Amino acid sequence: TRMLVNSSSVNLTGLTPGSGYCVWVREICTPGDTSYWAGPTCFSTLCPLSGYMAPYFTNFEGISIGTASGTPAGWENCWTHNTVTGSVRWESEDASGANENSLDTGPFYDNTFHPNSGGTYMYLETSSSGGPAELISPLIDISSLNNPELKFHYHMYGATINKLLVFAEDAAGTRTLL
């Protein structure tokens, strides 16, 4: 979205919580006299404290690539990870058509743009021993749904992959293995 303003600051409205954005700026002093674009300056909006209402969808596009940092360690879309023991870890990867960070495991392509390169996916780095490691979604309120449903795409390949477990956790912190 382009905005033309006659002030030294501007408020951006209508931004989605838990999302990443980048902004470019340039100055136009007179017609035909413009500066170079400055940017991008990237930022993310805060995750909603109350969580998200169902239905909820994410495809991990637009998040930072690599291991998330912070406490808890997380990405701009409010997903976090927790390495319980050992040195295995969840990472985000851009789907360039090649394994850039974890050789001989895959996938080469993200489900969003398959069979073309592009997109972002999450993977569990298990080259070192250890585990388990958790990838944790933001809070999703499913109370309005009669038949809640979870759909996801996965690719499991590698000498040290064990199994994938999916849990649901209620507001009291009680986990249920799905």
Side-chain angles (χ1 to χ4, degrees), residues 67-75 79-82:
T67 305
S69 60
T71 305
W75 291 267
W79 282 67
T80 59
H81 72 95
N82 179 23

Short mmCIF file of all heavy atoms in Angstrom, two decimals, residues 67-75 79-82:
data_model
loop_
_atom_site.label_atom_id
_atom_site.label_comp_id
_atom_site.label_asym_id
_atom_site.label_seq_id
_atom_site.Cartn_x
_atom_site.Cartn_y
_atom_site.Cartn_z
N THR A 67 16.55 -20.22 13.19
CA THR A 67 16.13 -20.54 14.55
C THR A 67 15.57 -19.29 15.21
O THR A 67 16.19 -18.24 15.15
CB THR A 67 17.33 -21.07 15.37
OG1 THR A 67 17.91 -22.17 14.69
CG2 THR A 67 16.89 -21.50 16.75
N ALA A 68 14.41 -19.40 15.81
CA ALA A 68 13.80 -18.26 16.49
C ALA A 68 14.51 -17.99 17.80
O ALA A 68 15.04 -18.89 18.43
CB ALA A 68 12.33 -18.52 16.74
N SER A 69 14.50 -16.73 18.21
CA SER A 69 15.12 -16.37 19.48
C SER A 69 14.09 -15.70 20.37
O SER A 69 12.94 -15.53 19.99
CB SER A 69 16.31 -15.43 19.23
OG SER A 69 15.85 -14.26 18.57
N GLY A 70 14.52 -15.31 21.55
CA GLY A 70 13.62 -14.65 22.50
C GLY A 70 13.17 -15.63 23.57
O GLY A 70 13.54 -16.79 23.58
N THR A 71 12.35 -15.13 24.49
CA THR A 71 11.81 -15.96 25.56
C THR A 71 10.32 -15.72 25.64
O THR A 71 9.92 -14.64 26.03
CB THR A 71 12.47 -15.64 26.91
OG1 THR A 71 13.88 -15.77 26.77
CG2 THR A 71 11.98 -16.56 27.99
N PRO A 72 9.45 -16.62 25.26
CA PRO A 72 9.84 -17.89 24.66
C PRO A 72 10.36 -17.67 23.24
O PRO A 72 10.04 -16.65 22.63
CB PRO A 72 8.53 -18.69 24.65
CG PRO A 72 7.47 -17.66 24.56
CD PRO A 72 8.00 -16.46 25.34
N ALA A 73 11.14 -18.61 22.74
CA ALA A 73 11.69 -18.49 21.39
C ALA A 73 10.56 -18.63 20.39
O ALA A 73 9.81 -19.59 20.42
CB ALA A 73 12.75 -19.57 21.16
N GLY A 74 10.41 -17.64 19.52
CA GLY A 74 9.30 -17.69 18.58
C GLY A 74 9.51 -16.86 17.34
O GLY A 74 10.48 -16.13 17.20
N TRP A 75 8.57 -16.99 16.45
CA TRP A 75 8.57 -16.30 15.17
C TRP A 75 7.50 -15.21 15.18
O TRP A 75 6.65 -15.17 16.06
CB TRP A 75 8.33 -17.29 14.03
CG TRP A 75 9.47 -18.22 13.82
CD1 TRP A 75 10.52 -18.04 12.95
CD2 TRP A 75 9.71 -19.48 14.45
NE1 TRP A 75 11.39 -19.10 13.03
CE2 TRP A 75 10.91 -20.00 13.94
CE3 TRP A 75 9.02 -20.22 15.42
CZ2 TRP A 75 11.44 -21.22 14.35
CZ3 TRP A 75 9.56 -21.42 15.83
CH2 TRP A 75 10.75 -21.92 15.30
N TRP A 79 4.03 -18.37 16.61
CA TRP A 79 4.41 -19.75 16.88
C TRP A 79 5.72 -19.72 17.66
O TRP A 79 6.57 -18.87 17.43
CB TRP A 79 4.59 -20.53 15.58
CG TRP A 79 3.29 -20.93 14.97
CD1 TRP A 79 2.34 -20.10 14.44
CD2 TRP A 79 2.77 -22.25 14.84
NE1 TRP A 79 1.27 -20.84 13.99
CE2 TRP A 79 1.51 -22.16 14.23
CE3 TRP A 79 3.26 -23.50 15.20
CZ2 TRP A 79 0.74 -23.26 13.96
CZ3 TRP A 79 2.48 -24.61 14.90
CH2 TRP A 79 1.23 -24.49 14.30
N THR A 80 5.88 -20.66 18.58
CA THR A 80 7.08 -20.74 19.40
C THR A 80 7.63 -22.16 19.35
O THR A 80 6.98 -23.07 18.85
CB THR A 80 6.80 -20.36 20.87
OG1 THR A 80 5.80 -21.24 21.39
CG2 THR A 80 6.31 -18.92 20.98
N HIS A 81 8.85 -22.33 19.86
CA HIS A 81 9.40 -23.68 19.97
C HIS A 81 10.05 -23.85 21.33
O HIS A 81 10.42 -22.89 21.98
CB HIS A 81 10.38 -23.99 18.83
CG HIS A 81 11.69 -23.27 18.93
ND1 HIS A 81 12.80 -23.82 19.50
CD2 HIS A 81 12.07 -22.04 18.53
CE1 HIS A 81 13.82 -22.97 19.44
NE2 HIS A 81 13.38 -21.88 18.84
N ASN A 82 10.13 -25.10 21.72
CA ASN A 82 10.70 -25.43 23.02
C ASN A 82 11.52 -26.70 22.84
O ASN A 82 10.97 -27.76 22.56
CB ASN A 82 9.59 -25.64 24.05
CG ASN A 82 10.14 -26.00 25.41
OD1 ASN A 82 11.28 -25.70 25.73
ND2 ASN A 82 9.34 -26.65 26.21
#
